[in-house]
């Protein structure tokens, strides 16, 4: 039995926020919680003690937030995501709660440097890239604008792999973020749920003659909750990130162990724990990975059981579920939730189909993050039937209902029926998770205006015809706390001095900077901030790569997952062309450039790994060629993660956002760079299109084919060879790469990679090359006119406020979740 909630239960006095209080508490934590005498304490001990002292202040706000939600009966938002790419938490928490200065002072008095401690904290790298980082920005924004929200995901023992370089090749190593423990998390053994797999379904006839189904799984394990507090700006609210960890039901399986089946007992326990052991590296082909499907169901089921339990505890009745609960599905990874909620409502709580289906669609919203056909999830019917027999039945029933509606109400023909069906009948039958998420949700959104339009025209065109009011756009955003205030304190200070502090609470007030963009004094100060950030990056490059780069050169940066559609290849080919030009024309006034790359390739994605090797091969040759006279340097920084991004982005002059048009759903790095005063060279893709609307075409360098032109060219399948023959610059660059100029140890290494450009050029690298090279020369011309450059850079910062994830979250809250938001 649950105890009734006592709203005025006693609680401790909140902790003081002064440096003195913090100083004595850090010592106290070090002694009594870490168990170390300050005279022998090591840096990790100080880090832990400091986090614990900061955490206490966070907890004060956390409890307050939670009490408020219980008291006010506000609707709760649940963000279900298989990825949360949080990065480090300490600086974020301190900064949002206003503790940076007192903690710095307290540690200084203790002869400890705060910066050193910050860089010791491991990144929580529980995500692959944009999708996971977006989830992290959204959590922070939901806390900042006061929405009662929970993030639900998996507590992977190992996050995304660590990337090392071996002779220029990517090598993947296990990542170990929990090695020193995780002082931010609270294990909630009491919040554990049983998760089933396999078995069979038992039809049961009720006394009233109706039929009920009971799933009898053959395998059971436990989902244990680990909670992390997520602090909003100025501590407005503290929400919870609840990550599930898998454990065997009986942790030591004592019976089996005692009966002598030692191996069996250990195997069982290892099998359970395997579910949450590693994060799948996305953008590798999602082959028949049963373990991945297990992960998806495991966290969906645990989250839904938790949500329904909490709802019943507060309201006692499921009829109000859709009024009090909004669940957002971050891509199709949690799409099985649609069937699981139906099962819980019908099989466990006795609701009838019609009511359960109405509640389900009232609760769920689905966000799509990619149109790439190979990235759209589907599972073999046979696998689903074996692992989740009851869910497969429910999926068939949902399908029957939707297809009947399509035929009867909308008069769909066989082709349209096949296109919206939850079952893909081509070859081995598969369940399409996109279709399941779509029909089970009242809202389906894309992540930029262009992407949403393309969604309507391509993957979901027939579902859109059937349910024309469901698809909507929510252009992505990024949290300005982490991506400006914390990562770029110098710029934050400068902006505050110029336009006052109001932008800290309403980031769209950055537009006030526009009026100062042509002021030579402000330009100088802006340039000085950029220069200081570049010096810091140059130092890091020297330390990590032993390459010397000049902060006077233009820092030209492309950092993101390595993928052919993102076209790092286009960038490095252009670098090769520039290298030849510098050698051929030493008399010309070349703009000095440092090309910085970073990013991980999926372990099984050969071409992506080969592109990394090519970048490193090209870097070795160019950086070692005295004829270049330091005018061009190429650097590939290993192990790209959130923390590295926080150092690189404030130091960038030029941001490369050059994906093949129509392929990057949104991009969010593009926003972070521009916010920090970089110019963008980019295609009309994803959110670049809307950035152009905000900053104007005078302040962004756009080139290349449009999404429509790309589609047309692909449709016509014309031969790209003539394109290459007509571009001597491209031809020379490609020939030098293909003939082994950069790979004398293996001259054929890049034959096939370059051959692909002659053969099909699917990603339009050859066809966009000349436009890209011309755009780069335009960038050079702007660089050579510093007044123009800095005016443009300032205007980029000034007009990025709209791309705050606070704006995005407000739109989700108003249009999808129907929850009230505080206005700033
Ligand atoms: C997955 C796969 C799997 C199979 C092979 C190809 C492939 C390519 C990409 C992906 C990732 C899909 C999900 C994703 O991370 N999308 C990203 O979401 C960001 C947040 O909305 C958005 O800014 C990025 O443009 C989008 O790529």
């Amino acid at each position: 039995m649950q105890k009734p909630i006592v709203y005025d239960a006693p609680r401790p006095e909140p902790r003081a926020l002064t440096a003195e209080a913090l100083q004595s508490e850090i010592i106290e934590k070090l002694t009594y919680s870490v168990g170390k005498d300050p005279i022998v304490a090591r840096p990790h001990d100080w880090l832990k003690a400091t986090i614990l002292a900061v955490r206490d202040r966070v907890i004060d706000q956390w409890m307050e937030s939670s009490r408020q939600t219980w008291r006010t009966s506000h609707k709760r938002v649940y963000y279900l995501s298989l990825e949360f790419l949080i990065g480090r938490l300490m600086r974020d928490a301190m900064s949002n709660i206003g503790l940076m200065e007192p903690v710095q002072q307290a540690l200084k008095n203790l002869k400890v440097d705060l910066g050193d401690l910050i860089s010791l904290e491991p990144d929580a790298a529980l995500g692959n890239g944009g999708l996971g980082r977006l989830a992290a920005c959204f959590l922070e924004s939901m806390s900042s604008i006061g929405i009662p929200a929970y993030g639900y995901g998996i507590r992977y023992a190992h996050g995304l792999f660590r990337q090392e370089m071996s002779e220029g090749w990517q090598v993947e190593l296990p990542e170990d973020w929990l090695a020193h423990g995780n002082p931010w998390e609270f294990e909630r053994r009491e919040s554990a749920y049983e998760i089933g797999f396999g078995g069979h379904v038992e039809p049961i006839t009720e006394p009233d003659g109706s039929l009920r189904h009971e799933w009898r799984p053959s395998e059971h394990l436990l989902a244990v909750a680990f909670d992390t507090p997520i602090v909003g700006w100025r501590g407005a609210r503290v929400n919870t990130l609840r990550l599930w960890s898998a454990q065997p039901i009986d942790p030591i399986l004592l019976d089996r162990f005692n009966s002598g089946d030692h191996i069996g007992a250990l195997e069982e326990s290892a099998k359970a724990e395997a579910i949450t052991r590693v994060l799948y590296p996305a953008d590798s082909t999602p082959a028949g990975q049963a373990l991945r499907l297990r992960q998806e169901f495991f966290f969906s089921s645990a989250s839904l059981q938790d949500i329904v339990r909490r709802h019943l505890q507060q309201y006692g009745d499921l009829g109000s579920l859709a009024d009090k609960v909004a669940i957002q599905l971050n891509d199709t990874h949690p799409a099985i939730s649609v069937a699981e909620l139906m099962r819980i409502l019908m099989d466990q709580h006795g609701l009838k189909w019609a009511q359960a289906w109405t509640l389900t669609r009232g609760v769920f919203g689905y966000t799509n993050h990619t149109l790439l056909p190979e990235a759209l999830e589907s599972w073999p019917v046979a696998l689903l039937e074996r692992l989740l027999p009851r869910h497969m039945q429910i999926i068939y029933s949902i399908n029957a209902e939707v297809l009947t509606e399509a035929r009867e109400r909308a008069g769909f023909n066989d082709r349209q029926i096949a296109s919206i069906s939850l079952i893909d009948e081509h070859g081995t039958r598969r369940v399409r998770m996109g279709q399941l998420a779509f029909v089970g949700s009242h809202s389906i959104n894309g992540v930029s205006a262009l992407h949403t339009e393309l969604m309507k025209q391509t993957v979901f065109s027939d579902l859109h015809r059937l349910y024309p009011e469901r698809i909507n756009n929510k252009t992505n955003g990024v949290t300005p706390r982490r991506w400006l205030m914390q990562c770029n304190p110098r710029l934050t200070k400068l902006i505050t001095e110029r336009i006052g502090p109001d932008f800290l609470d309403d980031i769209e007030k950055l537009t006030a900077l526009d009026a100062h963009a042509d002021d030579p004094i402000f330009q100088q100060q802006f340039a000085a901030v950029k220069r200081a950030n570049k010096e810091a990056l140059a130092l890091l490059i020297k330390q990590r790569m032993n390459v010397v780069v000049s902060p006077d050169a233009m820092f030209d940066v492309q950092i993101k997952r390595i993928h052919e559609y993102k076209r790092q290849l286009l960038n490095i080919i252009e670098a090769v062309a520039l290298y030849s030009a510098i050698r051929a024309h030493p008399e010309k006034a070349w703009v000095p450039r440092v090309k910085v790359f970073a990013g991980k390739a999926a372990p099984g994605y050969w071409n992506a790994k080969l592109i990394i090797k090519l970048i490193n091969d090209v870097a070795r040759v160019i950086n070692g060629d005295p004829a270049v006279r330091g005018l061009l340097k190429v650097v590939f920084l290993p192990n790209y993660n959130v923390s590295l991004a926080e150092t690189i982005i404030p130091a960038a002059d030029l941001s490369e956002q050059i994906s093949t048009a129509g392929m990057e759903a949104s991009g969010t790095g593009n926003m972070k760079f521009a916010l920090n005063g970089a110019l963008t060279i980019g295609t009309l893709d994803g959110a670049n299109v809307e950035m152009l609307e905000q900053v104007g075409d005078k302040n962004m360098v756009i080139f290349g084919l449009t999404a429509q032109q790309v589609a047309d060219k692909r449709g016509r399948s014309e031969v790209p060879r003539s394109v290459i023959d007509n571009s001597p610059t491209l031809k020379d660059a490609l020939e030098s790469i293909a003939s082994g100029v950069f790979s004398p140890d293996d001259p054929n290494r890049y034959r096939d990679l370059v051959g692909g450009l002659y053969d099909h050029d699917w990603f339009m690298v050859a066809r966009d090359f000349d436009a890209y090279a011309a755009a780069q020369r335009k960038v050079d011309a702007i660089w050579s006119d510093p007044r123009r450059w800095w005016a443009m850079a300032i205007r980029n910062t000034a007009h990025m406020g709209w791309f705050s994830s606070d704006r995005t979250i407000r739109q989700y809250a108003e249009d999808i979740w129907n929850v009230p938001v505080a206005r700033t």
Side-chain angles (χ1 to χ4, degrees):
M1 260 300 281
Q2 280 286 344
K3 265 179 57 182
I5 301 154
V6 183
Y7 290 106
D8 55 356
R11 55 175 148 177
E13 273 299 303
R15 297 270 197 254
L17 304 177
T18 60
E20 299 74 55
L22 280 156
Q23 187 181 333
S24 67
E25 263 179 67
I26 290 171
I27 292 296
E28 179 134 339
K29 299 285 184 193
L30 188 66
T31 312
Y32 296 112
S33 301
V34 184
K36 277 285 175 85
D37 185 321
I39 63 166
V40 296
R42 317 195 39 145
H44 273 287
D45 302 321
W46 285 105
L47 173 66
K48 187 165 179 196
T50 307
I51 290 178
L52 291 177
V54 171
R55 197 183 72 171
D56 281 359
R57 275 81 188 155
V58 171
I59 292 175
D60 287 330
Q61 299 293 113
W62 201 12
M63 304 284 146
E64 182 55 38
S65 298
S66 139
R67 281 192 183 208
Q68 201 195 344
T69 316
W70 284 98
R71 252 196 321 259
T72 54
S73 310
H74 280 157
K75 190 172 187 176
R76 291 178 172 93
V77 172
Y78 296 98
Y79 199 80
L80 265 58
S81 178
L82 217 38
E83 306 191 6
F84 288 94
L85 230 187
I86 304 274
R88 292 178 177 140
L89 270 175
M90 186 168 75
R91 184 173 60 183
D92 192 56
M94 287 190 308
S95 168
N96 273 2
I97 223 163
L99 286 179
M100 283 299 279
E101 278 167 24
V103 171
Q104 188 159 27
Q105 190 55 53
L107 286 171
K108 203 170 161 196
N109 297 347
L110 297 165
K111 309 269 178 296
V112 177
D113 182 64
L114 174 60
D116 291 348
L117 292 193
I118 287 175
S119 54
L120 266 189
E121 191 186 9
D123 269 43
L126 310 184
N128 275 281
L131 171 149
R133 183 53 234 176
L134 186 76
C137 283
F138 278 8
L139 284 186
E140 198 265 5
S141 275
M142 289 191 282
S143 294
S144 293
I145 62 180
I147 295 178
Y150 295 74
Y152 276 115
I154 287 184
R155 179 182 178 272
Y156 302 104
H158 304 285
L160 189 61
F161 65 86
R162 196 157 56 80
Q163 178 194 55
E164 277 190 9
M165 291 298 144
S166 168
E167 297 179 353
W169 295 98
Q170 166 176 298
V171 182
E172 303 95 26
L173 296 157
E175 181 280 346
D176 213 6
W177 70 300
L178 295 170
H180 290 271
N182 176 6
W184 288 108
E185 67 184 12
F186 292 87
E187 182 172 357
R188 309 289 193 202
R189 295 227 136 237
E190 72 287 4
S191 292
Y193 296 94
E194 268 189 51
I195 313 293
F197 288 104
H200 69 283
V201 180
E202 196 79 26
I204 294 167
T205 311
E206 299 283 25
D208 69 353
S210 64
L211 191 65
R212 199 167 59 80
H213 291 88
E214 218 175 85
W215 176 27
R216 305 266 166 79
S218 55
E219 191 187 328
H220 293 268
L221 49 93
L222 217 52
V224 178
F226 285 74
D227 287 350
T228 299
I230 304 291
V231 188
W233 176 235
R234 298 208 194 276
R237 229 196 118 80
V238 178
N239 282 321
T240 302
L241 171 59
R242 174 160 279 194
L243 300 178
W244 301 104
S245 180
Q247 291 178 16
I249 295 261
D250 175 355
I252 41 175
L253 296 156
L254 210 54
D255 286 349
R256 268 178 89 175
F257 202 83
N258 288 344
S259 71
D261 183 9
H262 299 162
I263 302 284
L266 291 176
E267 269 175 0
E268 183 113 325
S269 137
K271 192 175 174 198
E273 282 161 11
I275 291 200
T276 52
R277 189 156 343 263
V278 287
L279 164 74
Y280 268 86
D283 59 18
S284 57
T285 37
Q289 306 145 328
L291 184 60
R292 167 78 176 195
L293 178 58
R294 282 172 171 266
Q295 287 187 334
E296 294 184 354
F297 178 69
F298 167 81
F299 106 100
S300 296
S301 176
S303 308
L304 285 169
Q305 292 185 57
D306 202 32
I307 291 167
V308 169
R309 191 245 337 127
R310 188 176 297 112
H311 181 81
L312 284 174
Q313 187 184 346
Q314 186 160 11
Y315 301 103
D317 166 48
L318 288 170
S320 60
L321 193 71
D323 304 325
K324 295 297 177 191
V325 168
I327 306 178
Q328 194 66 28
L329 305 173
N330 198 23
D331 219 299
T332 56
H333 314 151
I336 193 68
S337 296
V338 169
E340 174 67 350
L341 182 58
M342 287 296 284
R343 186 188 70 83
I344 293 174
L345 294 179
M346 295 191 303
D347 299 0
Q348 297 190 332
H349 296 277
L351 269 62
K352 296 280 175 263
W353 174 275
Q355 193 192 4
W357 188 226
T358 304
L359 286 176
T360 296
R361 279 173 307 171
V363 160
F364 286 115
Y366 153 51
T367 306
N368 172 282
H369 295 268
T370 181
L371 301 173
L372 294 190
E374 67 271 34
L376 300 174
E377 277 190 305
S378 70
W379 296 106
V381 168
L383 175 63
L384 251 164
E385 226 144 37
R386 179 162 56 79
L387 228 49
L388 303 167
R390 177 60 181 137
H391 299 79
M392 196 59 235
Q393 287 180 345
I394 292 172
I395 288 170
Y396 279 133
S397 301
I398 295 174
N399 203 30
E401 169 136 344
V402 172
L403 297 187
T404 306
E405 188 188 346
R407 277 213 180 82
E408 288 176 1
R409 175 169 68 75
F412 270 31
N413 61 32
D414 288 350
R415 187 206 57 79
Q416 290 172 310
I417 290 290
S419 120
I420 66 166
S421 174
L422 304 197
I423 313 293
D424 182 356
E425 309 274 358
H426 306 95
T428 42
R429 301 172 73 235
R430 301 176 76 91
V431 179
R432 296 157 159 161
M433 303 311 268
Q435 269 77 353
L436 176 60
F438 193 118
V439 303
S441 300
H442 63 281
S443 159
I444 294 87
N445 74 282
V447 290
S448 74
L450 174 65
H451 166 237
T452 301
E453 270 324 295
L454 294 174
M455 250 170 78
K456 291 180 186 170
Q457 292 166 19
T458 62
V459 269
F460 294 131
S461 62
D462 288 305
L463 276 169
H464 176 53
R465 201 158 302 141
L466 186 60
Y467 303 113
E469 70 299 336
R470 287 200 196 173
I471 295 187
N472 62 92
N473 177 241
K474 296 287 166 282
T475 299
N476 283 166
V478 302
T479 167
R481 272 73 64 181
R482 185 178 289 260
W483 297 109
L484 176 63
M485 301 168 199
Q486 294 161 28
C487 75
N488 202 343
R490 293 185 184 97
L491 186 56
T492 307
K493 180 162 173 282
L494 175 65
I495 297 172
T496 312
E497 285 162 4
R498 204 21 93 138
I499 62 170
D502 289 359
F503 76 99
L504 299 173
D505 297 282
D506 178 2
I507 198 69
E508 297 197 32
K509 293 225 159 78
L510 278 177
T511 49
L513 280 178
D514 192 289
H516 304 268
D518 296 311
D519 175 348
I521 305 280
F522 188 58
Q523 288 192 354
Q524 258 175 32
Q525 295 168 329
F526 201 91
V529 163
K530 186 62 83 179
R531 166 130 196 145
N533 293 336
K534 286 167 75 174
E535 278 168 10
L537 178 57
L539 186 66
L540 182 141
I541 292 173
K542 175 75 184 74
Q543 284 165 348
R544 296 204 186 161
M545 312 301 298
N546 200 24
V547 174
V548 176
V549 300
S550 163
D552 293 326
M554 182 200 306
F555 281 17
D556 167 353
V557 181
Q558 187 171 23
I559 50 173
K560 48 183 79 233
R561 282 299 284 255
I562 312 293
H563 202 292
E564 286 166 286
Y565 85 76
K566 295 179 187 283
R567 299 202 293 192
Q568 284 92 355
L569 185 56
L570 176 60
N571 188 348
I572 197 69
I573 293 170
E574 206 277 325
V576 168
L578 181 60
Y579 168 56
S580 315
I582 292 173
R583 281 170 49 108
H585 298 283
E587 75 290 354
K588 282 201 186 166
W590 297 101
V591 170
R593 280 201 195 220
V594 178
K595 282 206 169 264
V596 178
F597 293 85
K600 293 175 181 175
Y605 187 172
W606 169 253
N607 271 0
K609 294 173 108 169
L610 193 58
I611 289 168
I612 294 177
K613 173 67 174 159
L614 174 61
I615 294 169
N616 282 314
D617 276 346
V618 170
R620 191 192 63 250
V621 172
I622 294 181
N623 299 348
D625 186 343
V628 178
R629 295 167 291 137
L631 290 168
L632 180 61
K633 293 253 162 115
V634 178
V635 182
F636 186 99
L637 282 166
N639 202 34
Y640 181 55
N641 60 11
V642 171
S643 291
L644 190 55
E646 287 168 4
T647 306
I648 296 176
I649 290 170
D653 294 306
L654 185 65
S655 156
E656 300 269 354
Q657 307 301 335
I658 60 176
S659 52
T660 315
M663 301 198 76
E664 189 70 272
S666 162
T668 46
N670 45 3
M671 304 164 187
K672 295 164 196 163
F673 280 103
L675 181 61
N676 284 276
L679 267 52
T680 303
I681 182 168
T683 46
L684 284 175
D685 199 14
N688 293 356
V689 177
E690 289 151 88
M691 285 171 56
L692 180 65
E693 280 167 24
Q694 294 290 326
V695 306
D697 58 6
K698 287 197 180 64
N699 298 308
M700 214 166 150
V701 181
I702 295 292
F703 74 94
L705 298 172
T706 61
Q708 187 59 56
Q709 290 168 329
V710 170
D712 291 347
K713 290 210 186 285
R714 282 184 181 160
R716 275 190 263 116
S717 67
E718 33 150 63
V719 194
R721 182 168 290 274
S722 67
V723 175
I724 300 175
D725 287 339
N726 289 331
S727 170
T729 320
L730 174 60
K731 196 161 192 268
D732 284 357
L734 291 183
E735 276 171 9
S736 69
I737 295 169
S739 68
V741 168
F742 302 94
S743 53
D745 55 322
D746 179 7
N748 286 327
R749 183 174 293 141
Y750 303 113
R751 266 270 136 86
D752 293 348
L753 191 65
V754 171
L757 305 188
Y758 282 92
D759 182 39
H760 50 77
D761 192 26
W762 182 252
F763 300 98
M764 308 281 150
V765 169
R767 275 166 287 199
D768 266 344
F769 181 83
D770 282 351
Y772 178 59
Q776 288 290 18
R777 299 297 74 78
K778 186 175 163 192
V779 170
D780 284 344
I782 302 168
W783 181 261
S784 307
D785 179 358
R787 296 217 41 187
R788 183 165 169 221
W789 181 279
W790 293 112
M792 287 173 73
I794 293 165
R795 290 207 163 90
N796 269 271
T797 300
H799 294 285
M800 276 307 114
W802 190 78
F803 295 96
S804 163
S805 43
D806 295 355
R807 184 268 313 153
T808 313
I809 285 297
R810 281 200 184 92
Q811 295 179 332
Y812 275 84
E814 283 174 12
D815 304 344
I816 303 178
W817 303 330
N818 192 25
V819 299
V821 283
R823 283 263 144 231
T824 42

